[in-house]
Amino acid sequence: MKLNHIIYTAAAALLLLGTGCKKWLDVQPGTVISEKNQFGSEAGFKDAMLGVYIKLSDARTYGRNTTYGFLDVVGQCYNIATANETYNQAVKLNYMDQRTRPFVDSIWYDMYANIGNVNQIISNLESSSIQFSGRYKNQIKGEALAMRAFLHFDLLRMFAPAPVVNANAKAIPYVTIFKVQVFPALTVNQVMDSCLKDLAAAEILLGEDKTIVRAYDNTDAYKSFTRHHMNYYAVKGLQARINLYRGNKPAALAAAMEVINNQAANFPFVKPADVTATYNKDYTFAQEHLFAVFSSSLKSYSDQYFLGTNQGGPAIFPLTDSHRGVLYEISAGGSTDLRYSNLFAPAGSAYATTKYSQINIVHTSPETEYLRTLIPLIRVSEIFYIAAEASATPEAGTVFLNTIRANRGLSQLPLNQTEANLNNELRKEIKKECYAEGQNFFYFKRRNLPEINTLTSTGKLLVPANAYQFPIPDAEIEYGDY
């Protein structure tokens, strides 16, 4: 992998960052990146780590394309119009189309740029002689290691074969230093091993303080709203996600249970009153997030795609009322689902999700302002779904699935489910829960299913050969070993 592309991109992107984070890459003549001033203090390291989190909100990645945008288009979550030239080939999984390929290439470059930023933090932490207050050196290093694993794993899920297809196939580079050089592509298994190695180190460091802070800290802003940070439970959730992806169900279940056993105290299920409120509605079920993106531009990004120019206008990412009924199984009693009745609104002649709309969010405190900014990346509900699939028996798995159903206003499934029935229920539930969050495509890819369910009761898209794997940018192919 030719990292000079990455470094220049990282520098340009971070020079544009604001929102409480200082400029921390100073591009000198000859594109040499100066680190002396930035990493000369504890505050500088904190700002640099916050810069990594803020960069996640870039529209090219988690601010749109790898959450509610491109990934949910290919995941068949929207009724994309034939006249929509931006996405009408993406929905067909045609990644080589001239309008689709830029989405794919920018995801690769932007995510590796942020990996470069993370590696610079880790490198400077390891060589720093600064006296950090409390346990901040370990805290920041743990977060950085966890972010390195998080970003590499999502790149693996997009740009390499699923393990069930070929775990020994060449995949992507796992970059651990901030340097201009060609990094070899590792195999799928080697990348997952590297992710889990970083997470094991992060688990120890972040396990020193497992506190989840749900409010603004006036004494130390870095400690505020720690669901926006890679925290201890986000590490455990990511371990569960990776192990399920590679087919190691016992390890996935063990990691998931660490979260589940501490769920009530740290990630309590949203209350119906918070979802049905007229003002300051909790659209994304914020208290259930293990890890979420902070996006100060969320409203401007999302309104264009879900509400049109004006509220009620035509949406770029719509679905019909009939599609919504199929998604939430209205014919089978799904009308009581909190998500069906509270998270969609008319958009022109169709419907669209209001998950990111911020309608009637009234700024009365940092906590209500917090509701304006959230894109979930790891939900506690996903951890219950992982436990359900990884359980030793379908009966045990159904108990985990029923926990989520009960907290969404749905009836309980009988415990005598077959494995096939349980998997089918999980498939449907993941799309309901993670709609407009980019996870549906990964469910089908992980299982290498020949078809992806679309929005109608019988609709399915036949997945073309290799269409679960995004093409690596041509410039990287030229210099890399793929």
Side-chain angles (χ1 to χ4, degrees):
M1 176 181 182
K2 194 177 183 185
L3 275 190
N4 60 332
H5 293 293
I6 304 299
I7 291 175
Y8 302 155
T9 303
L14 278 161
L15 284 172
L16 298 176
L17 289 176
T19 321
C21 178
K22 298 175 184 177
K23 180 176 75 174
W24 67 280
L25 289 182
D26 180 21
V27 180
Q28 305 293 337
T31 68
V32 175
I33 299 175
S34 173
E35 306 169 67
K36 181 179 179 181
N37 292 333
Q38 182 60 44
F39 296 109
S41 67
E42 177 182 306
F45 279 98
K46 289 179 179 178
D47 284 345
M49 196 65 224
L50 290 174
V52 168
Y53 292 129
I54 292 171
K55 185 165 172 55
L56 292 179
S57 68
D58 192 300
R60 289 170 294 186
T61 54
Y62 299 97
R64 185 176 66 225
N65 286 344
T66 56
T67 50
Y68 62 83
F70 180 75
L71 264 183
D72 260 8
V73 171
V74 299
Q76 308 303 305
C77 293
Y78 308 125
N79 186 32
I80 300 297
T82 303
N84 184 336
E85 294 184 356
T86 304
Y87 293 104
N88 63 11
Q89 292 301 308
V91 76
K92 299 176 183 177
L93 311 187
N94 179 8
Y95 308 130
M96 303 308 292
D97 176 74
Q98 63 180 354
R99 289 174 294 271
T100 304
R101 188 63 186 270
F103 287 115
V104 176
D105 289 354
S106 66
I107 289 169
W108 172 280
Y109 286 122
D110 203 72
M111 290 177 69
Y112 270 113
N114 218 7
I115 289 169
N117 302 335
V118 169
N119 285 334
Q120 194 179 34
I121 293 170
I122 294 171
S123 174
N124 279 277
L125 272 172
E126 291 174 344
S127 63
S128 178
S129 59
I130 295 169
Q131 293 298 311
F132 285 79
S133 60
R135 48 174 301 281
Y136 259 122
K137 186 171 186 178
N138 285 354
Q139 178 70 32
I140 295 170
K141 185 175 181 180
E143 292 182 27
L145 288 167
M147 274 307 309
R148 185 163 73 188
F150 180 89
L151 290 165
H152 277 106
F153 181 61
D154 270 3
L155 282 162
L156 181 77
R157 291 201 289 177
M158 289 182 278
F159 290 93
V164 70
V165 175
N166 186 355
N168 295 311
K170 282 187 177 181
I172 62 169
Y174 199 92
V175 182
T176 58
I177 58 175
F178 189 75
K179 187 176 181 181
V180 180
Q181 71 176 60
V182 175
F183 288 84
L186 304 184
T187 67
V188 173
N189 264 333
Q190 288 172 330
V191 174
M192 290 187 293
D193 286 342
S194 297
C195 290
L196 291 171
K197 180 181 178 181
D198 273 349
L199 290 173
E203 177 183 354
I204 293 171
L205 296 170
L206 298 178
E208 295 171 2
D209 183 358
K210 302 177 184 179
T211 306
I212 299 297
V213 179
R214 305 186 184 96
Y216 184 76
D217 189 321
N218 288 309
T219 62
D220 186 349
Y222 194 86
K223 293 181 179 179
S224 302
F225 302 115
T226 53
R227 290 188 186 89
H228 284 316
H229 296 236
M230 283 300 290
N231 56 75
Y232 173 82
Y233 295 106
V235 166
K236 300 306 295 184
L238 185 54
Q239 288 172 337
R241 182 186 277 179
I242 294 172
N243 278 299
L244 185 67
Y245 191 71
R246 80 184 314 176
N248 187 345
K249 289 185 176 180
L253 182 61
M257 290 310 300
E258 178 72 12
V259 177
I260 290 170
N261 289 337
N262 293 278
Q263 172 265 323
N266 294 289
F267 308 99
F269 291 119
V270 68
K271 298 175 182 177
D274 292 333
V275 184
T276 60
T278 301
Y279 294 98
N280 294 334
K281 179 183 291 190
D282 188 355
Y283 288 97
T284 67
F285 307 172
Q287 58 195 354
E288 298 184 16
H289 300 172
L290 273 66
F291 180 47
V293 169
F294 170 89
S295 176
S296 61
S297 301
L298 182 57
K299 180 174 175 57
S300 61
Y301 282 170
S302 66
D303 280 4
Q304 173 188 1
Y305 290 86
F306 296 111
L307 298 181
T309 305
N310 300 299
Q311 185 178 338
I316 295 173
F317 294 154
L319 74 175
T320 68
D321 194 32
S322 174
H323 294 152
R324 186 172 65 120
V326 169
L327 176 61
Y328 288 98
E329 300 183 280
I330 301 309
S331 63
S335 60
T336 59
D337 194 319
L338 286 171
R339 299 162 297 192
Y340 168 78
S341 53
N342 293 283
L343 300 183
F344 290 85
S349 60
Y351 276 77
T353 184
T354 56
K355 186 175 284 188
Y356 306 121
S357 68
Q358 305 173 25
I359 297 171
N360 290 342
I361 299 293
V362 181
H363 176 42
T364 58
S365 68
E367 286 69 34
T368 54
E369 183 69 13
Y370 178 68
L371 296 174
R372 297 177 181 268
T373 66
L374 300 172
I375 304 175
L377 299 184
I378 307 176
R379 289 182 169 276
V380 76
S381 51
E382 179 192 350
I383 308 309
F384 277 81
Y385 302 148
I386 290 171
E389 187 172 339
S391 289
T393 66
E395 180 177 355
T398 303
V399 173
F400 289 113
L401 177 55
N402 275 340
T403 300
I404 303 302
R405 287 178 61 90
N407 282 280
R408 299 298 181 254
L410 295 172
S411 62
Q412 300 289 276
L413 296 171
L415 295 182
N416 60 342
Q417 300 290 315
T418 65
E419 183 177 358
N421 285 346
L422 177 59
N423 284 332
N424 189 48
E425 293 297 334
L426 284 167
R427 171 189 64 78
K428 293 185 291 184
E429 181 61 29
I430 287 167
K431 192 169 186 177
K432 296 174 188 177
E433 180 78 357
C434 301
Y435 186 83
E437 294 175 18
Q439 296 300 321
N440 198 57
F441 177 80
F442 292 139
Y443 175 83
F444 286 87
K445 174 170 181 170
R446 173 171 61 82
R447 302 178 66 86
N448 194 39
L449 297 176
E451 298 172 315
I452 299 177
N453 294 71
T454 58
L455 291 170
T456 66
S457 58
T458 58
K460 293 183 180 182
L461 175 73
L462 181 65
V463 179
N466 301 317
Y468 279 130
Q469 183 176 345
F470 295 173
I472 291 171
D474 292 339
E476 302 301 319
I477 295 291
E478 180 182 355
Y479 293 98
D481 177 25
Y482 297 98

